[in-house]
Amino acid sequence: MFTAARLARFQQEETPFYFYDMDLLRQTVAACRTASEKRNFHVHYALKANVNNELLGIIREAGFGADCVSGGEVEKALENGFRKDQIVFAGVGKSDREINYALDQDIFCFNVESVQELEVINELARARNKRARIALRINPNVNANTHHYITTGLEENKFGINSWEFDTVVEKLRSLENIDCAGLHFHIGSQVTDENVFKSLCVKVNEFKEWFAERGVYFKLLNVGGGLGVDYHAPDVQPIVDFERHFAIFEQFLELDAGQEVHFELGRALVAQCGSLITKVLYIKKGINTNFAVVDAGMTELIRPALYHAYHKIENISASSAESVKYDVVGPICESSDCFGKEVELPETSRGDLMAIRTAGAYGEVMTSSYNLRPKIRPLFL
Ligand SMILES: *Cc1c(COP(=O)(O)O)cnc(C)c1O
């Protein structure tokens, strides 16, 4: 990953910056495409993971659609050439303005998260003399066994329509004339590494589909969302996710009606491993238990460790020392949670060394902030 040539290049750049390995991205996207295409599965890229135009271009060229969670993302997807009939739009709090914009753009599908949203979309579509294509985002009450901040498919979560509202939904679908109900949608959470979770999801999807069919409601598509996890601990062992295995589970366990389409919304699995946050060591400071390595990137550049206690592998990519020492790797921001890793074993580190914080391509650069009046970080695409 960090060849001598790359390191030399990094040394010319002002730190911190995001480095994207575009070959790895291309290979990842190609692997996903091969595995999905042969099963006729439709993939929508979840824009919220990373919105750099350079990445979006490669993903769009593979023929993937876009999964958006705001009007701004719908606009971004369209600007980057994603086909409007491949754009899906989820979100528990779509504003009237966002809904109207998406209606005007004739996007493929709204993933609707409440009964009231169904009524509002119907009304706004009627005012425009249109029919809105929707999928019902169902809360399947499946535990994704992931961090509770990134779990979305439990009844206690705010996302999706819960089973106790299904009777009302069926009634509404009969009466709302500007709604075209095309599918069922699910997204149970992120960074799911236990494939049994997806098996459980398939079983639930089959049950829900059956329940609706018994009441005369049929769906053209099933959208099973994203959530496929990546290996944060050993990013170089299998840098490309096993898409084949992932899609095979849905192929095996979903019971499809004739002609029924299966859609996916993958974010992290496509872009996480191609990105690293590259940061320079500013100071080494003696602590009580461990030393601190103070680096020039902080939670303003990568908030996942502070926000979800997320683990990111940290490497000193320029040190030559054979001796290994433990450091708390911390940023410059005035918050104690501004820490990338505690007691990280690294080669003996000095001021000026370059560190790579790995697997940062997803939910990294998109979540940067200007807190402490930090300047905007730049990306480097190689
Ligand atoms: C975030 C999100 C995704 C993508 O999740 P990943 O874990 O990055 O694959 C897919 N669908 C919806 C509705 C989302 O909110």
Side-chain angles (χ1 to χ4, degrees):
M1 173 66 73
F2 302 109
T3 57
R6 272 191 183 156
L7 197 56
R9 177 67 203 270
F10 290 176
Q11 252 131 9
Q12 296 162 11
E13 297 289 325
E14 204 171 307
T15 52
F17 60 90
Y18 269 95
F19 156 63
Y20 295 100
D21 181 334
M22 301 308 268
D23 280 337
L24 179 56
L25 176 65
R26 276 187 206 95
Q27 290 164 21
T28 306
V29 167
C32 181
R33 181 182 171 172
T34 306
S36 58
E37 251 179 13
K38 79 176 189 210
R39 299 176 168 91
N40 241 331
F41 287 170
H42 302 253
V43 175
H44 304 265
Y45 167 62
L47 256 78
K48 75 175 188 284
N50 190 308
V51 288
N52 275 305
N53 294 343
E54 288 78 357
L55 276 70
L56 293 179
I58 290 172
I59 292 165
R60 185 209 61 231
E61 275 167 26
F64 295 168
D67 165 44
C68 305
V69 291
S70 73
E73 285 188 1
V74 173
E75 197 175 342
K76 182 84 178 172
L78 288 166
E79 274 169 17
N80 278 274
F82 285 91
R83 283 169 45 177
K84 62 183 184 180
D85 61 355
Q86 288 186 320
I87 294 179
V88 297
F89 182 12
V92 72
K94 302 179 192 76
S95 69
D96 292 18
R97 186 195 171 99
E98 289 175 310
I99 293 168
N100 279 329
Y101 173 71
L103 283 170
D104 288 342
Q105 302 301 322
D106 290 317
I107 64 159
F108 176 58
C109 194
F110 291 87
N111 293 330
V112 172
E113 309 226 7
S114 67
V115 175
Q116 194 167 33
E117 186 190 335
L118 205 55
E119 294 168 337
V120 168
I121 293 180
N122 182 67
E123 227 164 83
L124 296 175
R126 188 173 55 208
R128 286 170 145 65
N129 240 331
K130 288 196 165 181
R131 276 170 72 86
R133 240 178 333 277
I134 65 113
L136 301 166
R137 176 168 183 178
I138 304 297
N139 185 339
N141 203 23
V142 169
N143 193 342
N145 294 330
T146 183
H147 192 279
H148 61 280
Y149 278 12
I150 50 175
T151 293
T152 55
L154 286 177
E155 282 169 357
E156 68 209 49
N157 298 129
K158 67 178 176 180
F159 299 98
I161 300 170
N162 284 306
S163 53
W164 56 82
E165 289 182 301
F166 287 180
D167 284 317
T168 317
V169 167
V170 171
E171 231 171 86
K172 290 284 170 203
L173 290 178
R174 290 202 185 107
S175 63
L176 300 177
E177 291 179 345
N178 296 75
I179 293 287
D180 171 9
C181 185
L184 287 179
H185 172 243
F186 304 83
H187 174 66
I188 54 173
S190 204
Q191 185 52 18
V192 178
T193 49
D194 176 359
E195 286 285 359
N196 283 318
V197 168
F198 291 118
K199 280 185 205 168
S200 309
L201 174 62
C202 290
V203 171
K204 288 285 182 114
V205 173
N206 296 337
E207 282 173 18
F208 289 126
K209 193 170 71 97
E210 182 71 26
W211 189 94
F212 280 96
E214 281 165 7
R215 283 147 188 89
V217 183
Y218 297 91
F219 303 102
K220 182 166 178 287
L221 68 94
L222 301 174
N223 181 338
V224 293
L228 177 56
V230 300
D231 191 346
Y232 282 88
H233 288 267
D236 297 315
V237 172
Q238 198 185 351
I240 298 173
V241 176
D242 194 345
F243 294 105
E244 181 57 40
R245 172 156 168 256
H246 184 62
F247 291 133
I249 284 173
F250 289 89
E251 183 178 39
Q252 187 183 348
F253 292 99
L254 275 184
E255 291 160 7
L256 299 180
D257 303 340
Q260 199 161 41
E261 296 173 5
V262 185
H263 291 245
F264 290 82
E265 301 167 338
L266 296 176
R268 189 189 312 268
L270 290 171
V271 297
Q273 294 295 18
C274 74
S276 294
L277 173 59
I278 308 296
T279 178
K280 194 174 273 176
V281 177
L282 294 173
Y283 304 101
I284 301 295
K285 181 174 157 174
K286 290 240 175 285
I288 294 175
N289 299 314
T290 48
N291 294 334
F292 293 101
V294 184
V295 298
D296 65 0
M299 63 192 285
T300 42
E301 285 68 50
L302 179 65
I303 200 175
R304 299 187 68 257
L307 187 60
Y308 321 116
H309 292 145
Y311 174 86
H312 284 265
K313 188 170 188 214
I314 302 172
E315 291 171 17
N316 184 327
I317 55 175
S318 63
S320 49
S321 167
E323 198 184 333
S324 127
V325 183
K326 280 185 179 164
Y327 297 94
D328 284 5
V329 179
V330 301
I333 307 302
C334 298
E335 299 286 342
S336 291
S337 60
D338 183 31
C339 174
F340 289 120
K342 285 198 187 302
E343 298 192 29
V344 184
E345 199 139 335
L346 293 166
E348 190 172 25
T349 295
S350 347
R351 172 174 165 85
D353 285 355
L354 283 181
M355 301 245 198
I357 303 179
R358 303 290 308 275
T359 319
Y363 309 107
E365 199 183 340
V366 280
M367 286 201 196
T368 54
S369 80
S370 58
Y371 181 46
N372 286 196
L373 283 186
R374 300 273 290 172
K376 194 166 166 43
I377 190 167
R378 289 160 318 106
L380 174 69
F381 308 99
L382 291 180

PDB file of all heavy atoms in Angstrom, residues 114-129:
ATOM      1  N   SER A 114     -42.406   6.480   7.252  1.00  0.00           N
ATOM      2  CA  SER A 114     -43.532   6.572   8.193  1.00  0.00           C
ATOM      3  C   SER A 114     -44.833   6.723   7.421  1.00  0.00           C
ATOM      4  O   SER A 114     -44.838   7.078   6.238  1.00  0.00           O
ATOM      5  CB  SER A 114     -43.358   7.761   9.144  1.00  0.00           C
ATOM      6  OG  SER A 114     -43.452   8.976   8.423  1.00  0.00           O
ATOM      7  N   VAL A 115     -45.944   6.468   8.135  1.00  0.00           N
ATOM      8  CA  VAL A 115     -47.265   6.596   7.521  1.00  0.00           C
ATOM      9  C   VAL A 115     -47.505   8.056   7.125  1.00  0.00           C
ATOM     10  O   VAL A 115     -47.993   8.346   6.033  1.00  0.00           O
ATOM     11  CB  VAL A 115     -48.358   6.113   8.504  1.00  0.00           C
ATOM     12  CG1 VAL A 115     -49.740   6.361   7.930  1.00  0.00           C
ATOM     13  CG2 VAL A 115     -48.168   4.633   8.813  1.00  0.00           C
ATOM     14  N   GLN A 116     -47.091   8.952   7.996  1.00  0.00           N
ATOM     15  CA  GLN A 116     -47.322  10.368   7.688  1.00  0.00           C
ATOM     16  C   GLN A 116     -46.527  10.821   6.462  1.00  0.00           C
ATOM     17  O   GLN A 116     -47.019  11.593   5.642  1.00  0.00           O
ATOM     18  CB  GLN A 116     -46.970  11.232   8.904  1.00  0.00           C
ATOM     19  CG  GLN A 116     -47.504  12.639   8.767  1.00  0.00           C
ATOM     20  CD  GLN A 116     -47.442  13.401  10.079  1.00  0.00           C
ATOM     21  OE1 GLN A 116     -46.536  13.193  10.883  1.00  0.00           O
ATOM     22  NE2 GLN A 116     -48.404  14.283  10.287  1.00  0.00           N
ATOM     23  N   GLU A 117     -45.314  10.292   6.329  1.00  0.00           N
ATOM     24  CA  GLU A 117     -44.524  10.642   5.145  1.00  0.00           C
ATOM     25  C   GLU A 117     -45.223  10.176   3.872  1.00  0.00           C
ATOM     26  O   GLU A 117     -45.211  10.869   2.842  1.00  0.00           O
ATOM     27  CB  GLU A 117     -43.116  10.027   5.236  1.00  0.00           C
ATOM     28  CG  GLU A 117     -42.210  10.475   4.091  1.00  0.00           C
ATOM     29  CD  GLU A 117     -40.901   9.699   4.008  1.00  0.00           C
ATOM     30  OE1 GLU A 117     -40.436   9.156   5.028  1.00  0.00           O
ATOM     31  OE2 GLU A 117     -40.363   9.624   2.878  1.00  0.00           O
ATOM     32  N   LEU A 118     -45.847   9.008   3.946  1.00  0.00           N
ATOM     33  CA  LEU A 118     -46.592   8.479   2.799  1.00  0.00           C
ATOM     34  C   LEU A 118     -47.674   9.475   2.385  1.00  0.00           C
ATOM     35  O   LEU A 118     -47.853   9.778   1.197  1.00  0.00           O
ATOM     36  CB  LEU A 118     -47.219   7.145   3.235  1.00  0.00           C
ATOM     37  CG  LEU A 118     -47.567   6.085   2.215  1.00  0.00           C
ATOM     38  CD1 LEU A 118     -46.366   5.722   1.363  1.00  0.00           C
ATOM     39  CD2 LEU A 118     -48.082   4.835   2.940  1.00  0.00           C
ATOM     40  N   GLU A 119     -48.391  10.001   3.371  1.00  0.00           N
ATOM     41  CA  GLU A 119     -49.469  10.969   3.098  1.00  0.00           C
ATOM     42  C   GLU A 119     -48.915  12.262   2.520  1.00  0.00           C
ATOM     43  O   GLU A 119     -49.477  12.816   1.574  1.00  0.00           O
ATOM     44  CB  GLU A 119     -50.231  11.275   4.396  1.00  0.00           C
ATOM     45  CG  GLU A 119     -50.985  10.071   4.928  1.00  0.00           C
ATOM     46  CD  GLU A 119     -51.502  10.286   6.356  1.00  0.00           C
ATOM     47  OE1 GLU A 119     -50.946  11.136   7.087  1.00  0.00           O
ATOM     48  OE2 GLU A 119     -52.460   9.597   6.735  1.00  0.00           O
ATOM     49  N   VAL A 120     -47.791  12.711   3.070  1.00  0.00           N
ATOM     50  CA  VAL A 120     -47.209  13.973   2.605  1.00  0.00           C
ATOM     51  C   VAL A 120     -46.707  13.826   1.160  1.00  0.00           C
ATOM     52  O   VAL A 120     -46.962  14.690   0.312  1.00  0.00           O
ATOM     53  CB  VAL A 120     -46.062  14.430   3.547  1.00  0.00           C
ATOM     54  CG1 VAL A 120     -45.269  15.571   2.926  1.00  0.00           C
ATOM     55  CG2 VAL A 120     -46.624  14.834   4.891  1.00  0.00           C
ATOM     56  N   ILE A 121     -46.033  12.718   0.864  1.00  0.00           N
ATOM     57  CA  ILE A 121     -45.543  12.509  -0.508  1.00  0.00           C
ATOM     58  C   ILE A 121     -46.723  12.439  -1.469  1.00  0.00           C
ATOM     59  O   ILE A 121     -46.703  13.014  -2.568  1.00  0.00           O
ATOM     60  CB  ILE A 121     -44.657  11.244  -0.605  1.00  0.00           C
ATOM     61  CG1 ILE A 121     -43.364  11.442   0.190  1.00  0.00           C
ATOM     62  CG2 ILE A 121     -44.331  10.917  -2.067  1.00  0.00           C
ATOM     63  CD1 ILE A 121     -42.414  10.263   0.156  1.00  0.00           C
ATOM     64  N   ASN A 122     -47.790  11.775  -1.048  1.00  0.00           N
ATOM     65  CA  ASN A 122     -48.986  11.682  -1.888  1.00  0.00           C
ATOM     66  C   ASN A 122     -49.531  13.074  -2.218  1.00  0.00           C
ATOM     67  O   ASN A 122     -49.830  13.385  -3.366  1.00  0.00           O
ATOM     68  CB  ASN A 122     -50.055  10.862  -1.169  1.00  0.00           C
ATOM     69  CG  ASN A 122     -51.318  10.693  -2.014  1.00  0.00           C
ATOM     70  OD1 ASN A 122     -51.283  10.030  -3.052  1.00  0.00           O
ATOM     71  ND2 ASN A 122     -52.403  11.301  -1.594  1.00  0.00           N
ATOM     72  N   GLU A 123     -49.611  13.917  -1.181  1.00  0.00           N
ATOM     73  CA  GLU A 123     -50.147  15.259  -1.357  1.00  0.00           C
ATOM     74  C   GLU A 123     -49.265  16.105  -2.284  1.00  0.00           C
ATOM     75  O   GLU A 123     -49.762  16.774  -3.183  1.00  0.00           O
ATOM     76  CB  GLU A 123     -50.175  15.935   0.011  1.00  0.00           C
ATOM     77  CG  GLU A 123     -51.463  16.634   0.333  1.00  0.00           C
ATOM     78  CD  GLU A 123     -51.502  16.905   1.830  1.00  0.00           C
ATOM     79  OE1 GLU A 123     -50.907  17.921   2.237  1.00  0.00           O
ATOM     80  OE2 GLU A 123     -52.060  16.066   2.569  1.00  0.00           O
ATOM     81  N   LEU A 124     -47.951  16.032  -2.035  1.00  0.00           N
ATOM     82  CA  LEU A 124     -47.033  16.843  -2.846  1.00  0.00           C
ATOM     83  C   LEU A 124     -47.016  16.347  -4.296  1.00  0.00           C
ATOM     84  O   LEU A 124     -46.912  17.141  -5.225  1.00  0.00           O
ATOM     85  CB  LEU A 124     -45.621  16.817  -2.234  1.00  0.00           C
ATOM     86  CG  LEU A 124     -45.505  17.454  -0.842  1.00  0.00           C
ATOM     87  CD1 LEU A 124     -44.108  17.268  -0.262  1.00  0.00           C
ATOM     88  CD2 LEU A 124     -45.860  18.945  -0.891  1.00  0.00           C
ATOM     89  N   ALA A 125     -47.136  15.040  -4.477  1.00  0.00           N
ATOM     90  CA  ALA A 125     -47.158  14.487  -5.835  1.00  0.00           C
ATOM     91  C   ALA A 125     -48.457  14.917  -6.543  1.00  0.00           C
ATOM     92  O   ALA A 125     -48.440  15.265  -7.725  1.00  0.00           O
ATOM     93  CB  ALA A 125     -47.050  12.963  -5.795  1.00  0.00           C
ATOM     94  N   ARG A 126     -49.559  14.897  -5.790  1.00  0.00           N
ATOM     95  CA  ARG A 126     -50.839  15.299  -6.388  1.00  0.00           C
ATOM     96  C   ARG A 126     -50.781  16.750  -6.864  1.00  0.00           C
ATOM     97  O   ARG A 126     -51.233  17.081  -7.950  1.00  0.00           O
ATOM     98  CB  ARG A 126     -51.984  15.111  -5.389  1.00  0.00           C
ATOM     99  CG  ARG A 126     -53.359  15.344  -6.044  1.00  0.00           C
ATOM    100  CD  ARG A 126     -54.495  15.004  -5.120  1.00  0.00           C
ATOM    101  NE  ARG A 126     -54.381  15.730  -3.870  1.00  0.00           N
ATOM    102  CZ  ARG A 126     -54.865  15.299  -2.705  1.00  0.00           C
ATOM    103  NH1 ARG A 126     -55.483  14.155  -2.635  1.00  0.00           N
ATOM    104  NH2 ARG A 126     -54.715  16.030  -1.617  1.00  0.00           N
ATOM    105  N   ALA A 127     -50.179  17.611  -6.056  1.00  0.00           N
ATOM    106  CA  ALA A 127     -50.076  19.025  -6.416  1.00  0.00           C
ATOM    107  C   ALA A 127     -49.280  19.203  -7.706  1.00  0.00           C
ATOM    108  O   ALA A 127     -49.421  20.201  -8.405  1.00  0.00           O
ATOM    109  CB  ALA A 127     -49.418  19.800  -5.280  1.00  0.00           C
ATOM    110  N   ARG A 128     -48.442  18.215  -8.021  1.00  0.00           N
ATOM    111  CA  ARG A 128     -47.627  18.297  -9.236  1.00  0.00           C
ATOM    112  C   ARG A 128     -48.154  17.402 -10.339  1.00  0.00           C
ATOM    113  O   ARG A 128     -47.485  17.201 -11.354  1.00  0.00           O
ATOM    114  CB  ARG A 128     -46.182  17.875  -8.907  1.00  0.00           C
ATOM    115  CG  ARG A 128     -45.468  18.936  -8.129  1.00  0.00           C
ATOM    116  CD  ARG A 128     -44.142  18.430  -7.604  1.00  0.00           C
ATOM    117  NE  ARG A 128     -43.163  19.499  -7.617  1.00  0.00           N
ATOM    118  CZ  ARG A 128     -43.251  20.595  -6.881  1.00  0.00           C
ATOM    119  NH1 ARG A 128     -44.271  20.782  -6.085  1.00  0.00           N
ATOM    120  NH2 ARG A 128     -42.307  21.522  -6.944  1.00  0.00           N
ATOM    121  N   ASN A 129     -49.325  16.811 -10.055  1.00  0.00           N
ATOM    122  CA  ASN A 129     -49.903  15.923 -11.055  1.00  0.00           C
ATOM    123  C   ASN A 129     -48.999  14.746 -11.388  1.00  0.00           C
ATOM    124  O   ASN A 129     -48.848  14.381 -12.558  1.00  0.00           O
ATOM    125  CB  ASN A 129     -50.205  16.708 -12.329  1.00  0.00           C
ATOM    126  CG  ASN A 129     -51.679  16.640 -12.642  1.00  0.00           C
ATOM    127  OD1 ASN A 129     -52.333  15.647 -12.288  1.00  0.00           O
ATOM    128  ND2 ASN A 129     -52.190  17.679 -13.258  1.00  0.00           N
TER     129      ASN A 129
END
